[in-house]
Amino acid sequence: MSVAPGIWQPHDQAERREEVRIPAAGLELTGTSAAALTWTVHEESPGVVEVRVVPDRAAEVRLGWRVPCVDATAFWAADGGEHRGLPPFWRRPRTAALEKNAPVGCLIGAGDVALCTFAAGEVVRPVRTRTGVVEETGEFGFWVEHEAGPGTGLLLRIDLSRRHFATTLAGVADWWGTLHGLGRDVPLAARMPAYSTWYAMQQHVDAAGVERQAGPAAELGCEALIVDDGWHSDDRGRGYGHVGEWRPSPTSFPDISAHVAKVRGEGLAYLLWYALPFVGRHTELWDRVRPYTLVYKEHMNAAILDPRYPYVRDLLAGHLTRAVTEWGMDGLKIDFIDQFAVEDPPRPGPEADCATVNEGVRRLLAQLPEECLVELRQPYVSPGLWPYATMIRASDCPLSPAHNRQRTVDLRLIAGPMAVHADMLMWHPDESPERVATQLINVLFAVPQISVDLTTQTPAQAQVLRFWLAFFRQHVDVLQRGDFAPARPDLAYPQVSARSGDTVIVGRYAPMPVEAPATGTLWVANGDASTDVLLRTSRPGTARATVLDCRGRTESDDFVDLTPGSVEITVPEGGLLRLETTA
């Protein structure tokens, strides 16, 4: 296999290229570095190889390769957003580091087959990747690079096994966990529905208002309550000029410990929001921390602190620890870790004890209390954060079910041990119960966070919440821990399924046929306006079909004849089908 000109150019004339052929994978890799390279190739399983390239001195190392772009439908990346087409190779490289993104990608072909899945072993320091269609050859090009030393070098995993793309990405997550011993036990509470104040109250939170929501939230099936921005200040300007001191507003939360005890008395875990990197210009801290900042954000009216300094880490970790040890919080919602990813950070002063911001962030998070719930958020999805968190939430997408579905599915694919949470669900007071149910179904394979005023919901809306939150709770093992198989990433996952034992749960978001298992229980949650659900069957028999509407009321309960081919069953929008098939 030859290397097309202009694809992997050395950085300068002092650099050299080396090529290594991997017959088992049918692949040729090109290594580029100013240093001499030592190669080690290990075949993990058929079609899956690990490649380690070690330079003889500290230097940038780049590995590049190409595969035929045949039957390709989409390229998946951890920060791919809503665009899943095939990018051109000449686009700007992506950067992944501890505080933003993850070094992984997958070229997907027809039938949801992974044509090539790759991941880097480095999960803290910056890793740059470039991927895309090579116009000159019709191939799909890849390169991965980062600074490497004689100790560890650059470690790469390439999967050409042509399995389902979700299976290959789950293999990446397992690989990261094995490499780094990452992750910690995730309490069941992290996987249960939660209530969030953000969309329901914005910054207008106070103890009485939060307590009014706690009882209804617990009664409907939530097990955690998350208080977002607004608790620490009387400012309601949606900026960050007043953050950083992290003391409860004496007006809104005059006795934070007593308030937390009341909420916990309802049976809810309590999590508190922190914009971790920020110190606002209008705080008493401002003058003290100015020498320890990475950058000032004019539009936020706040600075990003530099975690390379022990003073900064102790300050920030002390604030968060106090919430747990003194106020009785069960957990922390840590926001804006991606803001630490500053281009060209200033040279640290003599008080700094680590050279990189990435390492400073890691040390900061390592100081947080271990026995508490911690929520992170897209786009800080690096597996290097797994030891410090229990859950990760989709980035903000208010009232956008399709985006919430895509983002939670993306997270599920590489979240490893962490529980995946949806962005908060909100709706207009006049929303129909069917559309409320559709929002819940769109995040069926994640943890729903509800963010509406529960005291003003109509009886029908409350019935929808009670029914679907009960379904989330009852089937948590299948939905969140079962074999996960989203379909058609090029179409934003119009169908998603999870299987455990003889139970299969399918989320239907477009009029696509649903495969019915030969035996066992099939649940189909209809998140689409079309009501004619087409089941594909492979064997004759009889099955019991129970259809529930969006509130959990039985619409029909009949036996249906299954013949090889297809069977059509009417399931209302926001409703649920249960199909029981016996051998």
Side-chain angles (χ1 to χ4, degrees):
M1 180 184 288
S2 62
V3 179
I7 298 178
W8 298 296
Q9 292 299 325
H11 297 297
D12 55 53
Q13 294 299 316
E15 294 192 342
R16 52 184 138 186
R17 276 205 301 230
E18 299 180 10
E19 295 181 2
V20 170
R21 189 178 298 275
I22 307 175
L27 196 65
E28 184 172 290
L29 295 179
T30 300
T32 303
S33 180
L37 303 177
T38 300
W39 297 69
T40 304
V41 178
H42 167 67
E43 186 177 7
E44 178 186 301
S45 59
V48 182
V49 295
E50 288 183 16
V51 181
R52 188 184 295 274
V53 180
V54 179
D56 63 353
R57 54 189 170 84
E60 290 282 337
V61 176
R62 177 186 297 178
L63 291 183
W65 70 100
R66 293 177 296 149
V67 299
C69 198
V70 176
D71 280 340
T73 60
F75 181 75
W76 186 96
D79 65 343
E82 285 70 60
H83 307 291
R84 281 285 145 75
L86 300 178
F89 189 77
W90 44 257
R91 72 173 178 173
R92 184 177 180 180
R94 284 177 161 93
T95 299
L98 181 74
E99 65 272 25
K100 190 174 183 180
N101 203 357
V104 59
C106 179
L107 178 65
I108 302 168
D112 292 337
V113 167
L115 303 177
C116 180
T117 300
F118 76 91
E122 174 59 60
V123 297
V124 176
R125 296 176 300 161
V127 178
R128 289 166 295 282
T129 62
R130 172 168 277 171
T131 53
V133 174
V134 180
E135 298 171 0
E136 295 88 345
T137 65
E139 294 171 299
F140 200 88
F142 304 79
W143 61 244
V144 177
E145 72 174 11
H146 64 74
E147 186 171 344
T152 58
L154 186 155
L155 180 61
L156 186 67
R157 185 181 197 266
I158 302 177
D159 188 330
L160 299 167
S161 63
R162 299 187 68 87
R163 296 172 292 169
H164 191 281
F165 77 94
T167 302
T168 66
L169 289 169
V172 167
D174 291 342
W175 181 69
W176 278 329
T178 300
L179 275 179
H180 303 287
L182 302 176
R184 66 191 200 192
D185 291 337
V186 174
L188 185 59
R191 299 189 181 278
M192 289 295 173
Y195 181 85
S196 169
T197 63
W198 180 239
Y199 292 141
M201 304 180 190
Q202 298 284 301
Q203 289 181 313
H204 301 281
V205 290
D206 58 27
V210 171
E211 290 163 19
R212 275 195 300 271
Q213 302 300 322
E219 191 272 330
L220 287 170
C222 294
E223 290 200 13
L225 186 147
I226 304 170
V227 170
D228 212 289
D229 194 1
W231 64 269
H232 56 91
S233 170
D234 293 329
D235 177 69
R236 299 295 182 258
R238 291 290 295 269
Y240 298 95
H242 295 270
V243 306
E245 292 169 339
W246 304 117
R247 295 190 292 261
S249 160
T251 304
S252 301
F253 294 89
D255 188 340
I256 189 73
S257 298
H259 161 68
V260 171
K262 285 183 181 180
V263 171
R264 298 184 78 236
E266 297 287 352
L268 297 170
Y270 199 125
L271 285 79
L272 196 60
W273 172 89
Y274 288 84
L276 184 64
F278 297 154
V279 167
R281 190 169 183 173
H282 303 304
T283 62
E284 296 176 6
L285 275 174
W286 179 251
D287 289 334
R288 277 194 286 150
V289 301
R290 287 181 67 184
Y292 307 101
T293 58
L294 286 168
V295 67
Y296 178 68
K297 298 275 188 175
E298 184 72 36
H299 67 292
M300 292 180 169
N301 207 14
I304 308 298
L305 294 185
D306 190 340
R308 292 175 292 184
Y309 294 94
Y311 168 75
V312 167
R313 299 198 300 271
D314 291 345
L315 176 71
L316 298 181
H319 288 318
L320 274 65
T321 299
R322 183 183 182 192
V324 176
T325 60
E326 295 185 25
W327 303 339
M329 299 294 173
D330 298 281
L332 308 164
K333 174 177 179 174
I334 300 179
D335 218 344
F336 297 110
I337 285 177
D338 55 313
Q339 294 296 316
F340 283 120
V342 173
E343 291 188 16
D344 299 321
R347 291 186 62 183
E351 296 176 53
D353 65 351
C354 51
T356 67
V357 174
N358 320 110
E359 177 60 19
V361 173
R362 192 196 65 76
R363 295 187 187 187
L364 166 60
L365 295 176
Q367 291 183 228
L368 300 183
E370 291 185 7
E371 301 301 323
C372 71
L373 301 169
V374 175
E375 181 194 279
L376 304 179
R377 174 179 58 83
Q378 285 172 319
Y380 32 102
V381 297
S382 169
L385 297 171
W386 291 353
Y388 315 114
T390 53
M391 54 248 248
I392 185 163
R393 180 177 64 82
S395 57
D396 294 13
C397 50
L399 260 175
S400 182
H403 286 166
N404 220 349
R405 177 178 76 246
Q406 181 168 1
R407 294 173 187 185
T408 52
V409 170
D410 284 348
L411 284 173
R412 279 292 306 274
L413 292 168
I414 58 163
M418 290 195 292
V420 171
H421 282 232
D423 185 39
M424 293 76 71
L425 303 184
M426 59 166 288
W427 47 85
H428 189 275
D430 296 334
E431 186 60 275
S432 69
E434 290 79 11
R435 295 302 298 169
V436 172
T438 296
Q439 284 214 56
L440 288 156
I441 292 170
N442 270 273
V443 298
L444 187 63
F445 301 90
V447 179
Q449 291 190 10
I450 310 303
S451 192
V452 292
D453 185 346
L454 297 177
T455 67
T456 63
Q457 298 301 292
T458 66
Q461 291 168 335
Q463 288 169 356
V464 168
L465 277 170
R466 186 173 291 106
F467 169 60
W468 279 106
L469 294 186
F471 188 82
F472 277 96
R473 294 167 57 87
Q474 292 164 7
H475 300 278
V476 61
D477 283 338
V478 181
L479 292 170
Q480 296 188 42
R481 297 184 176 123
D483 294 332
F484 186 56
R488 299 298 301 272
D490 53 315
L491 299 179
Y493 309 119
Q495 189 176 119
V496 182
S497 67
R499 176 190 292 269
S500 181
D502 63 354
T503 300
V504 178
I505 301 177
V506 174
R508 176 186 182 268
Y509 310 109
M512 292 176 60
V514 176
E515 293 287 343
T519 60
T521 303
L522 170 68
W523 298 90
V524 181
N526 186 22
D528 190 64
S530 64
T531 61
D532 298 328
V533 175
L534 194 66
L535 303 179
R536 285 201 297 230
T537 63
S538 59
R539 60 179 291 275
T542 302
R544 183 176 180 178
T546 306
V547 176
L548 308 176
D549 72 1
C550 64
R551 307 189 214 180
R553 302 175 302 186
T554 301
E555 291 222 335
S556 63
D557 188 3
D558 302 303
F559 286 92
V560 297
D561 292 326
L562 301 178
T563 57
S566 61
V567 176
E568 189 173 279
I569 299 177
T570 300
V571 182
E573 180 183 8
L576 182 65
L577 166 67
R578 176 177 178 170
L579 191 77
E580 287 280 359
T581 308
T582 57

Coordinates of all heavy atoms in Angstrom, one line a residue, residues 255-318:
D255 N -30.5 29.0 55.7 CA -30.0 27.9 56.5 C -29.9 26.7 55.5 O -30.7 25.9 55.4 CB -30.9 27.6 57.6 CG -30.3 26.6 58.6 OD1 -29.4 25.8 58.2 OD2 -30.8 26.5 59.7
I256 N -28.7 26.6 54.8 CA -28.6 25.6 53.8 C -28.6 24.2 54.3 O -29.2 23.3 53.7 CB -27.3 25.9 53.0 CG1 -27.2 25.0 51.7 CG2 -26.1 25.7 53.9 CD1 -28.1 25.4 50.6
S257 N -28.0 24.0 55.5 CA -28.0 22.6 56.1 C -29.4 22.2 56.4 O -29.7 21.0 56.1 CB -27.1 22.6 57.3 OG -25.8 22.9 56.9
A258 N -30.2 23.0 57.0 CA -31.6 22.6 57.4 C -32.4 22.4 56.1 O -33.2 21.4 56.0 CB -32.2 23.7 58.2
H259 N -32.2 23.2 55.1 CA -32.9 23.0 53.8 C -32.5 21.7 53.2 O -33.4 20.9 52.7 CB -32.5 24.2 52.9 CG -32.8 23.9 51.5 ND1 -34.0 23.8 50.9 CD2 -31.9 23.8 50.4 CE1 -33.9 23.5 49.6 NE2 -32.7 23.5 49.3
V260 N -31.2 21.4 53.1 CA -30.8 20.1 52.5 C -31.4 18.9 53.3 O -31.9 17.9 52.7 CB -29.2 20.0 52.6 CG1 -28.8 18.6 52.2 CG2 -28.6 21.0 51.6
A261 N -31.5 19.0 54.6 CA -32.1 17.9 55.4 C -33.5 17.7 55.0 O -34.0 16.6 55.0 CB -31.9 18.3 56.9
K262 N -34.3 18.8 54.8 CA -35.7 18.7 54.4 C -35.8 18.0 53.1 O -36.7 17.1 52.9 CB -36.3 20.1 54.3 CG -36.6 20.8 55.6 CD -37.3 22.1 55.4 CE -37.6 22.8 56.8 NZ -38.3 24.1 56.5
V263 N -35.0 18.3 52.1 CA -35.1 17.7 50.8 C -34.7 16.2 50.9 O -35.4 15.3 50.3 CB -34.2 18.4 49.8 CG1 -34.1 17.6 48.5 CG2 -34.7 19.8 49.5
R264 N -33.7 15.9 51.6 CA -33.2 14.5 51.8 C -34.3 13.8 52.6 O -34.4 12.5 52.4 CB -31.9 14.5 52.5 CG -30.8 15.1 51.7 CD -29.4 15.0 52.3 NE -28.9 13.7 52.1 CZ -28.5 12.8 53.1 NH1 -28.6 13.2 54.4 NH2 -28.0 11.7 52.8
G265 N -35.0 14.4 53.4 CA -36.1 13.8 54.2 C -37.2 13.3 53.3 O -38.0 12.4 53.7
E266 N -37.3 13.8 52.1 CA -38.3 13.3 51.1 C -37.8 12.1 50.4 O -38.5 11.5 49.5 CB -38.6 14.4 50.0 CG -39.2 15.6 50.6 CD -40.7 15.4 51.0 OE1 -41.3 14.4 50.7 OE2 -41.3 16.4 51.6
G267 N -36.6 11.6 50.7 CA -36.0 10.5 50.0 C -35.2 10.8 48.8 O -34.9 9.9 48.0
L268 N -34.8 12.0 48.7 CA -34.0 12.5 47.5 C -32.6 12.7 47.8 O -32.3 13.3 48.9 CB -34.6 13.7 46.9 CG -36.1 13.7 46.4 CD1 -36.6 15.1 46.1 CD2 -36.1 12.8 45.1
A269 N -31.7 12.3 47.0 CA -30.3 12.8 47.1 C -30.2 14.2 46.6 O -31.0 14.6 45.7 CB -29.4 11.9 46.2
Y270 N -29.3 15.0 47.2 CA -29.2 16.5 46.8 C -27.9 16.7 46.2 O -26.8 16.4 46.8 CB -29.4 17.3 48.1 CG -29.8 18.7 48.0 CD1 -30.9 19.3 48.6 CD2 -29.0 19.6 47.2 CE1 -31.2 20.6 48.5 CE2 -29.3 20.9 47.0 CZ -30.4 21.4 47.7 OH -30.8 22.8 47.6
L271 N -27.9 17.3 45.0 CA -26.7 17.7 44.3 C -26.7 19.2 44.1 O -27.8 19.8 43.8 CB -26.6 17.0 42.9 CG -26.1 15.5 42.9 CD1 -27.3 14.6 43.2 CD2 -25.6 15.1 41.6
L272 N -25.5 19.8 44.2 CA -25.4 21.3 44.0 C -24.5 21.7 42.9 O -23.4 21.0 42.7 CB -24.9 21.9 45.4 CG -25.1 23.4 45.6 CD1 -26.5 23.8 45.6 CD2 -24.4 23.8 46.9
W273 N -24.9 22.7 42.2 CA -24.1 23.1 41.0 C -23.0 24.0 41.3 O -23.1 24.9 42.1 CB -25.1 23.9 40.1 CG -24.5 24.5 38.8 CD1 -24.3 24.0 37.6 CD2 -24.1 25.9 38.7 NE1 -23.8 24.9 36.7 CE2 -23.6 26.1 37.4 CE3 -24.0 27.0 39.6 CZ2 -23.2 27.3 37.0 CZ3 -23.5 28.2 39.2 CH2 -23.1 28.4 37.9
Y274 N -21.9 23.8 40.6 CA -20.7 24.7 40.6 C -20.1 24.9 39.2 O -19.9 24.0 38.5 CB -19.6 24.1 41.5 CG -19.9 24.0 43.0 CD1 -20.6 23.0 43.5 CD2 -19.4 25.0 43.8 CE1 -20.9 23.0 44.9 CE2 -19.6 25.0 45.2 CZ -20.4 24.0 45.7 OH -20.6 24.0 47.1
A275 N -19.9 26.2 38.9 CA -19.1 26.5 37.7 C -17.7 26.5 38.1 O -17.1 27.6 38.4 CB -19.6 27.9 37.2
L276 N -17.1 25.4 38.0 CA -15.8 25.1 38.7 C -14.7 26.1 38.4 O -14.0 26.6 39.2 CB -15.3 23.7 38.4 CG -14.1 23.2 39.1 CD1 -14.3 23.2 40.6 CD2 -13.7 21.8 38.7
P277 N -14.4 26.4 37.1 CA -13.2 27.2 36.8 C -13.3 28.7 37.0 O -12.3 29.4 37.0 CB -13.0 27.0 35.3 CG -14.0 25.9 34.9 CD -15.1 26.0 35.8
F278 N -14.5 29.2 37.3 CA -14.7 30.7 37.2 C -14.6 31.4 38.6 O -15.0 30.8 39.6 CB -16.2 31.0 36.7 CG -16.5 30.5 35.4 CD1 -17.8 30.2 35.0 CD2 -15.5 30.3 34.4 CE1 -18.1 29.8 33.7 CE2 -15.8 29.9 33.1 CZ -17.1 29.6 32.8
V279 N -14.0 32.6 38.5 CA -14.1 33.5 39.6 C -14.5 34.9 39.0 O -13.9 35.4 38.0 CB -12.8 33.7 40.4 CG1 -12.9 34.9 41.3 CG2 -12.5 32.5 41.2
G280 N -15.7 35.4 39.4 CA -16.2 36.6 38.8 C -15.5 37.8 39.3 O -14.9 37.9 40.4
R281 N -15.7 38.9 38.4 CA -15.0 40.1 38.7 C -15.6 40.9 39.9 O -15.0 41.7 40.5 CB -15.1 41.0 37.4 CG -14.3 42.3 37.5 CD -14.2 42.9 36.1 NE -13.4 44.1 36.1 CZ -13.0 44.8 35.1 NH1 -13.5 44.4 33.9 NH2 -12.3 45.8 35.1
H282 N -16.8 40.5 40.2 CA -17.5 41.3 41.3 C -17.5 40.5 42.7 O -18.4 40.7 43.5 CB -19.0 41.5 40.9 CG -19.1 42.3 39.7 ND1 -18.5 43.5 39.4 CD2 -19.8 42.0 38.5 CE1 -18.8 43.9 38.2 NE2 -19.6 43.0 37.6
T283 N -16.5 39.7 42.8 CA -16.4 38.9 44.1 C -15.2 39.5 44.9 O -14.3 40.2 44.4 CB -16.1 37.4 43.8 OG1 -14.8 37.3 43.1 CG2 -17.2 36.8 42.9
E284 N -15.2 39.1 46.2 CA -14.2 39.5 47.1 C -12.9 38.8 46.7 O -11.8 39.3 47.1 CB -14.5 39.2 48.5 CG -15.8 40.0 49.0 CD -16.2 39.6 50.4 OE1 -15.4 38.8 51.0 OE2 -17.2 40.1 50.9
L285 N -13.0 37.7 46.1 CA -11.8 36.9 45.7 C -11.0 37.5 44.6 O -9.8 37.2 44.4 CB -12.2 35.5 45.3 CG -12.4 34.4 46.4 CD1 -12.9 33.2 45.7 CD2 -11.0 34.1 47.0
W286 N -11.6 38.4 43.8 CA -11.1 38.8 42.5 C -9.6 39.2 42.6 O -8.8 38.7 41.8 CB -11.9 39.9 41.9 CG -11.4 40.4 40.6 CD1 -10.9 41.6 40.3 CD2 -11.5 39.7 39.3 NE1 -10.5 41.7 39.0 CE2 -10.9 40.5 38.4 CE3 -11.9 38.4 39.0 CZ2 -10.8 40.1 37.0 CZ3 -11.8 38.0 37.6 CH2 -11.2 38.9 36.7
D287 N -9.3 40.2 43.5 CA -7.9 40.7 43.5 C -6.9 39.6 44.0 O -5.8 39.6 43.5 CB -7.9 41.9 44.5 CG -8.6 43.1 43.9 OD1 -8.6 43.2 42.6 OD2 -9.1 43.9 44.6
R288 N -7.4 38.7 44.8 CA -6.5 37.7 45.3 C -6.1 36.6 44.2 O -5.0 36.1 44.2 CB -7.1 37.0 46.5 CG -6.9 37.7 47.8 CD -7.2 36.8 49.0 NE -8.7 36.6 49.1 CZ -9.2 35.5 49.6 NH1 -8.4 34.4 49.9 NH2 -10.5 35.4 49.7
V289 N -7.0 36.4 43.3 CA -6.8 35.3 42.4 C -6.3 35.8 41.0 O -5.9 34.9 40.2 CB -8.1 34.4 42.2 CG1 -8.5 33.8 43.5 CG2 -9.2 35.2 41.5
R290 N -6.3 37.0 40.8 CA -5.8 37.5 39.5 C -4.5 37.0 39.1 O -4.3 36.7 37.9 CB -5.9 39.1 39.5 CG -7.3 39.6 39.4 CD -7.4 41.1 39.4 NE -6.8 41.6 38.1 CZ -6.7 42.9 37.9 NH1 -7.0 43.8 38.8 NH2 -6.2 43.3 36.7
P291 N -3.5 36.9 40.0 CA -2.2 36.3 39.5 C -2.3 34.9 39.1 O -1.3 34.3 38.6 CB -1.3 36.5 40.7 CG -2.0 37.5 41.6 CD -3.4 37.3 41.4
Y292 N -3.4 34.2 39.4 CA -3.5 32.7 39.1 C -4.5 32.4 38.1 O -5.2 31.4 38.2 CB -3.8 32.0 40.5 CG -2.9 32.4 41.6 CD1 -3.2 33.3 42.6 CD2 -1.6 31.8 41.7 CE1 -2.4 33.6 43.6 CE2 -0.8 32.1 42.7 CZ -1.2 33.0 43.7 OH -0.3 33.3 44.7
T293 N -4.7 33.2 37.1 CA -5.7 33.0 36.1 C -5.1 32.6 34.7 O -3.9 33.0 34.4 CB -6.5 34.3 35.9 OG1 -5.7 35.4 35.5 CG2 -7.3 34.6 37.2
L294 N -5.9 31.8 34.0 CA -5.5 31.4 32.6 C -5.9 32.5 31.6 O -5.1 32.8 30.7 CB -6.1 30.1 32.3 CG -5.6 28.8 32.9 CD1 -6.5 27.7 32.7 CD2 -4.2 28.5 32.4
V295 N -7.1 33.0 31.8 CA -7.6 33.9 30.8 C -8.8 34.6 31.4 O -9.5 34.1 32.3 CB -8.0 33.2 29.5 CG1 -9.2 32.3 29.7 CG2 -8.3 34.2 28.3
Y296 N -9.1 35.9 30.9 CA -10.3 36.6 31.4 C -11.3 36.5 30.2 O -11.0 36.8 29.1 CB -10.0 38.1 31.7 CG -11.2 38.9 32.0 CD1 -11.8 38.6 33.2 CD2 -11.7 39.8 31.2 CE1 -13.0 39.3 33.6 CE2 -12.8 40.6 31.5 CZ -13.4 40.3 32.7 OH -14.6 41.0 33.1
K297 N -12.5 36.1 30.6 CA -13.6 36.0 29.6 C -14.5 37.2 29.7 O -15.3 37.3 30.6 CB -14.4 34.7 29.9 CG -13.6 33.4 29.7 CD -13.5 33.0 28.3 CE -12.9 31.6 28.2 NZ -12.9 31.0 26.8
E298 N -14.3 38.1 28.8 CA -15.0 39.4 28.9 C -16.6 39.2 28.8 O -17.3 39.8 29.6 CB -14.6 40.3 27.7 CG -15.3 41.7 27.7 CD -14.7 42.6 28.8 OE1 -13.5 42.5 29.0 OE2 -15.4 43.4 29.4
H299 N -17.0 38.3 27.9 CA -18.5 38.1 27.8 C -19.1 37.4 29.0 O -20.3 37.4 29.3 CB -18.8 37.3 26.6 CG -18.3 35.9 26.6 ND1 -17.0 35.5 26.5 CD2 -19.0 34.7 26.6 CE1 -16.9 34.2 26.6 NE2 -18.1 33.7 26.6
M300 N -18.2 36.7 29.8 CA -18.7 36.1 31.0 C -18.5 36.9 32.3 O -19.0 36.6 33.4 CB -18.0 34.7 31.2 CG -18.4 33.7 30.2 SD -17.5 32.1 30.5 CE -18.4 31.0 29.3
N301 N -17.7 37.9 32.1 CA -17.3 38.8 33.3 C -16.6 38.0 34.4 O -16.9 38.3 35.6 CB -18.6 39.5 33.8 CG -18.3 40.8 34.5 OD1 -17.2 41.4 34.3 ND2 -19.2 41.4 35.2
A302 N -15.8 37.1 34.0 CA -15.1 36.2 34.9 C -13.8 35.7 34.3 O -13.6 35.7 33.1 CB -16.0 35.0 35.3
A303 N -13.0 35.2 35.2 CA -11.7 34.7 34.8 C -11.7 33.2 35.0 O -12.4 32.6 35.8 CB -10.5 35.3 35.5
I304 N -10.9 32.5 34.2 CA -10.7 31.0 34.4 C -9.4 30.9 35.2 O -8.3 31.3 34.9 CB -10.5 30.3 33.0 CG1 -11.6 30.7 32.1 CG2 -10.3 28.8 33.2 CD1 -13.0 30.2 32.5
L305 N -9.6 30.2 36.3 CA -8.4 30.0 37.2 C -7.5 28.9 36.7 O -7.9 28.0 35.9 CB -8.9 29.6 38.6 CG -9.7 30.6 39.4 CD1 -10.0 30.2 40.8 CD2 -8.9 32.0 39.4
D306 N -6.2 29.0 37.1 CA -5.2 28.1 36.6 C -4.9 27.0 37.5 O -4.3 27.2 38.6 CB -3.9 28.9 36.3 CG -2.8 28.1 35.6 OD1 -2.9 26.9 35.6 OD2 -1.9 28.8 35.0
P307 N -5.3 25.7 37.2 CA -5.2 24.6 38.2 C -3.8 24.1 38.3 O -3.5 23.2 39.1 CB -6.1 23.6 37.6 CG -6.0 23.8 36.1 CD -5.9 25.3 36.0
R308 N -2.8 24.7 37.6 CA -1.4 24.3 37.8 C -0.9 24.7 39.2 O 0.2 24.3 39.6 CB -0.6 24.8 36.7 CG -0.8 24.2 35.3 CD 0.0 24.9 34.2 NE -0.5 26.2 34.0 CZ 0.0 27.0 33.0 NH1 1.0 26.5 32.2 NH2 -0.4 28.2 32.8
Y309 N -1.6 25.7 39.8 CA -1.2 26.2 41.1 C -1.9 25.4 42.3 O -3.1 25.3 42.3 CB -1.5 27.7 41.3 CG -0.7 28.5 40.3 CD1 -1.3 28.9 39.1 CD2 0.5 29.0 40.6 CE1 -0.6 29.7 38.2 CE2 1.2 29.8 39.7 CZ 0.7 30.2 38.5 OH 1.4 31.0 37.6
P310 N -1.1 24.9 43.3 CA -1.8 24.3 44.4 C -2.8 25.2 45.1 O -3.8 24.7 45.6 CB -0.6 23.9 45.3 CG 0.6 23.9 44.4 CD 0.3 24.9 43.3
Y311 N -2.5 26.5 45.2 CA -3.4 27.5 45.8 C -4.7 27.4 45.2 O -5.8 27.4 45.8 CB -2.8 28.9 45.7 CG -3.8 30.0 46.1 CD1 -4.1 30.2 47.4 CD2 -4.4 30.7 45.1 CE1 -5.0 31.2 47.7 CE2 -5.3 31.7 45.4 CZ -5.6 31.9 46.7 OH -6.5 32.9 47.1
V312 N -4.8 27.4 43.8 CA -6.0 27.3 43.1 C -6.8 26.0 43.4 O -8.0 26.0 43.7 CB -5.8 27.5 41.6 CG1 -7.1 27.2 40.8 CG2 -5.4 29.0 41.3
R313 N -6.1 24.9 43.3 CA -6.7 23.6 43.5 C -7.3 23.5 44.9 O -8.4 23.0 45.1 CB -5.7 22.5 43.2 CG -5.2 22.5 41.8 CD -4.6 21.1 41.5 NE -3.5 20.8 42.3 CZ -2.2 21.1 42.1 NH1 -1.9 21.8 41.0 NH2 -1.2 20.7 42.9
D314 N -6.5 24.0 45.9 CA -7.0 23.9 47.3 C -8.2 24.8 47.5 O -9.2 24.4 48.2 CB -5.9 24.3 48.3 CG -4.7 23.3 48.3 OD1 -4.9 22.2 47.9 OD2 -3.7 23.7 48.8
L315 N -8.2 26.0 46.8 CA -9.3 26.9 47.0 C -10.6 26.3 46.4 O -11.6 26.2 47.0 CB -9.0 28.2 46.2 CG -10.1 29.2 46.1 CD1 -10.3 29.9 47.5 CD2 -9.8 30.3 45.1
L316 N -10.5 25.8 45.1 CA -11.7 25.2 44.5 C -12.1 23.9 45.1 O -13.4 23.7 45.4 CB -11.4 25.0 43.0 CG -11.0 26.2 42.2 CD1 -10.8 25.9 40.7 CD2 -12.1 27.3 42.3
A317 N -11.2 23.0 45.4 CA -11.6 21.8 46.1 C -12.2 22.0 47.4 O -13.2 21.3 47.9 CB -10.4 20.8 46.2
G318 N -11.7 23.0 48.1 CA -12.3 23.3 49.5 C -13.7 23.8 49.4 O -14.5 23.4 50.2

